[in-house]
Amino acid sequence: MSDATRVLVLNSGSSSVKYQLIDMADGARLASGLVERIGEGQGRIAHEPSTGPERDRYEPFPDHTAALSALADELAADGMGLDSPHLAAIGHRAVHGGTRFTEPTLITDQVVEGLRELVPLAPLHNPANITGIEVARKLRPDLPQVAVFDTAFHATMPEYAARYAIDKATADAHQIRRYGFHGTSHQYVSRRTAELLGKAPEAVNVIVLHLGNGASASAVAGGRCVDTSMGLTPLEGLVMGTRSGDLDPAILLHLHRVGGMSVDEIDALLNRRSGLLGLCGDNDMREIGRRMGEGDPEARLAFDIYIHRLRKYIGAYYAVLGRVDAIVFTAGVGENSAAVREASLAGMDAMGIALDSVRNAVRGSTPRLISADSSRVAVAVVPTDEELEIAQQTFAVVRRTAE
Ligand SMILES: Nc1ncnc2c1ncn2[C@@H]1O[C@H](COP(=O)(O)OP(=O)(O)O)[C@@H](O)[C@H]1O
Ligand SMILES: CC(=O)OP(=O)(O)O
Ligand SMILES: [Mg+2]
């Protein structure tokens, strides 16, 4: 075995890069961090090595090249720079893989080109992923780099769940189908949930609720995704921080024809100015909770709409799965908001779902059960770790390629 066992994971967003350096020999996280507000006047890098305290620095990062070289400098300061001989690969989160990429993929020029062709289907996400990949390839052209796709885990959805009920020829001509996103998280969390229950992934049916800035639900049967709430793009489904989720599609036509809005204006409205932000002016669930505490009716209504949509998906996936072993909450809101977890499952005793309010209120950073002992369906909080999952899948590709 070569002694290059470390994987650097880059999750490049439009204005931020999250990263982790993980040693695959023992799974140890050697460093993690975040560069944010890229392209704005003042940016910030927060870097946390396993060997010491977090270091915070404020400075402008004009573009992703500057952000990546800053994080490389931070790693180098801890003796773990990008030139390290211990580095085996760089793994990248790639959001939209279309029908072409359904497995973790060794990055070549053709793969980058393929990602570029998919930009219209993930305009918020794919361009940033591509930039991250291009910069990293320039910094270490000799190192294997692997793309791990948000859409991959959902590729197993049956046709009847993946297809929209529109004219088949039109759908085929434009690759219109449901792809689903956050797949790395749904995959990781459903597997960890099986472990928590002490069962094999093949033996459990799970509803995963990934509630972050973007939010999606999935129905996972025996380790395979059978349905998920995001569709052609990450706009469908649940109410999100700034995205509307499900709508009557005729609303778009109405806004265009009667409201006089352009396609780009409608795009910006639904992706950036809707969801919780559009409903009450705040997209952070902590702030909404605080405002509800003060009796703010707008914040209350936004919360209720968010919860109502979530409950509809829980019911739908219960019916899709037939038998549910666990409902599991993850990502920023799912891991931290006891109020969201309680409201989204309240009154479901007849469905065999009962929370234990004391367990639900306990904060923690490890996988845990929050259901009552009497609950037929287990309810759990399982912190997601997309970066660890990406590192594992990246390392597996590198190993296979080296054989
Ligand atoms: N203590 C908390 N209570 C409620 N919501 C929280 C808490 N901490 C974080 N959040 C929510 O989590 C969201 C971010 O989730 P995260 O999974 O980190 O998102 P992303 O990875 O999509 O950026 C924030 O917008 C905030 O609403
Ligand atoms: C696909 C998606 O919605 O990702 P995020 O939650 O990171 O925006
Ligand atoms: Mg996320």
Side-chain angles (χ1 to χ4, degrees):
M1 187 166 136
S2 134
D3 57 0
T5 55
R6 296 179 183 173
V7 175
L8 176 65
V9 176
L10 298 177
N11 179 349
S12 304
S14 53
S15 67
S16 72
V17 179
K18 292 183 195 165
Y19 62 96
Q20 282 194 21
L21 180 67
I22 300 172
D23 195 333
M24 303 317 294
D26 53 7
R29 181 183 299 151
L30 302 172
S32 62
L34 166 72
V35 189
E36 59 184 353
R37 297 196 283 278
I38 299 167
E40 292 174 33
Q42 184 71 290
R44 167 176 173 257
I45 178 164
H47 176 83
E48 189 174 358
S50 62
T51 47
E54 184 179 274
R55 303 195 291 270
D56 234 0
R57 204 148 47 78
Y58 289 83
E59 64 180 75
F61 302 103
D63 52 29
H64 281 72
T65 310
L68 262 73
S69 80
L71 76 85
D73 288 348
E74 290 296 338
L75 289 166
D78 297 317
M80 304 185 290
L82 256 65
D83 56 353
S84 161
H86 301 296
L87 202 56
I90 300 180
H92 297 266
R93 177 185 182 205
V95 168
H96 213 310
T99 47
R100 179 161 162 201
F101 302 111
T102 57
E103 299 284 339
T105 304
L106 195 65
I107 295 172
T108 61
D109 293 345
Q110 288 75 18
V111 172
V112 176
E113 211 34 58
L115 275 169
R116 215 183 296 285
E117 283 163 20
L118 289 161
V119 163
L121 295 183
L124 249 43
H125 296 90
N126 270 33
N129 302 159
I130 294 169
T131 310
I133 289 169
E134 286 181 328
V135 175
R137 288 180 88 203
K138 265 196 206 109
L139 290 173
R140 278 300 301 268
D142 57 311
L143 212 58
Q145 309 214 11
V146 175
V148 178
F149 295 89
D150 259 46
T151 43
F153 181 60
H154 304 300
T156 55
M157 276 195 288
E159 279 299 288
Y160 55 75
R163 281 276 183 175
Y164 292 102
I166 62 171
D167 169 67
K168 186 173 181 312
T170 308
D172 289 345
H174 299 285
Q175 302 176 61
I176 293 175
R177 58 187 286 119
R178 312 189 55 258
Y179 294 94
F181 299 87
H182 296 136
T184 315
S185 177
H186 288 286
Q187 180 174 23
Y188 173 84
V189 167
S190 55
R191 206 177 53 232
R192 288 303 303 263
T193 303
E195 276 171 29
L196 183 68
L197 300 180
K199 294 188 175 151
E202 299 75 41
V204 295
N205 289 350
V206 187
I207 297 174
V208 180
L209 306 169
H210 175 109
L211 311 176
N213 250 319
S216 65
S218 69
V220 182
R224 290 164 69 88
C225 176
V226 294
D227 204 352
T228 195
S229 60
M230 283 179 167
L232 175 76
T233 77
L235 182 56
E236 193 181 348
L238 300 173
V239 176
M240 309 181 211
T242 66
R243 291 171 241 167
S244 62
D246 295 337
L247 294 170
D248 177 346
I251 292 172
L252 282 71
L253 310 178
H254 184 77
L255 288 173
H256 180 62
R257 286 192 192 123
V258 181
M261 290 175 73
S262 71
V263 170
D264 286 345
E265 284 168 348
I266 297 172
D267 187 340
L269 171 79
L270 300 180
N271 274 302
R272 300 177 193 274
R273 290 190 283 118
S274 294
L276 293 170
L277 180 71
L279 286 166
C280 74
D282 272 306
N283 61 342
D284 192 314
M285 197 52 90
R286 284 166 289 203
E287 188 57 19
I288 290 171
R290 196 193 57 73
R291 285 173 56 186
M292 284 199 302
E294 292 174 349
D296 182 325
E298 257 185 13
R300 175 83 239 175
L301 181 60
F303 182 85
D304 288 347
I305 294 170
Y306 182 97
I307 294 296
H308 182 66
R309 185 82 53 82
L310 196 50
R311 290 170 65 89
K312 290 210 280 191
Y313 271 93
I314 293 166
Y317 290 169
Y318 200 117
V320 164
L321 290 168
R323 188 202 82 226
V324 177
D325 298 296
I327 297 172
V328 51
F329 291 86
T330 194
V333 177
E335 291 166 28
N336 294 299
S337 176
V340 164
R341 295 192 297 258
E342 187 185 335
S344 59
L345 298 178
M348 294 190 185
D349 303 66
M351 294 162 75
I353 302 166
L355 270 193
D356 180 293
S357 55
V358 174
R359 288 175 190 158
N360 184 39
V362 175
R363 303 189 58 85
S365 55
T366 51
R368 57 198 184 275
L369 286 173
I370 57 170
S371 37
D373 294 337
S374 62
S375 188
R376 190 156 40 77
V377 177
V379 182
V381 178
V382 174
T384 193
D385 199 339
E386 289 159 288
E387 284 76 17
L388 177 61
E389 183 67 34
I390 291 171
Q392 284 168 343
Q393 296 193 17
T394 296
F395 199 56
V397 169
V398 171
R399 275 290 145 89
R400 233 179 292 135
T401 318
E403 270 168 13

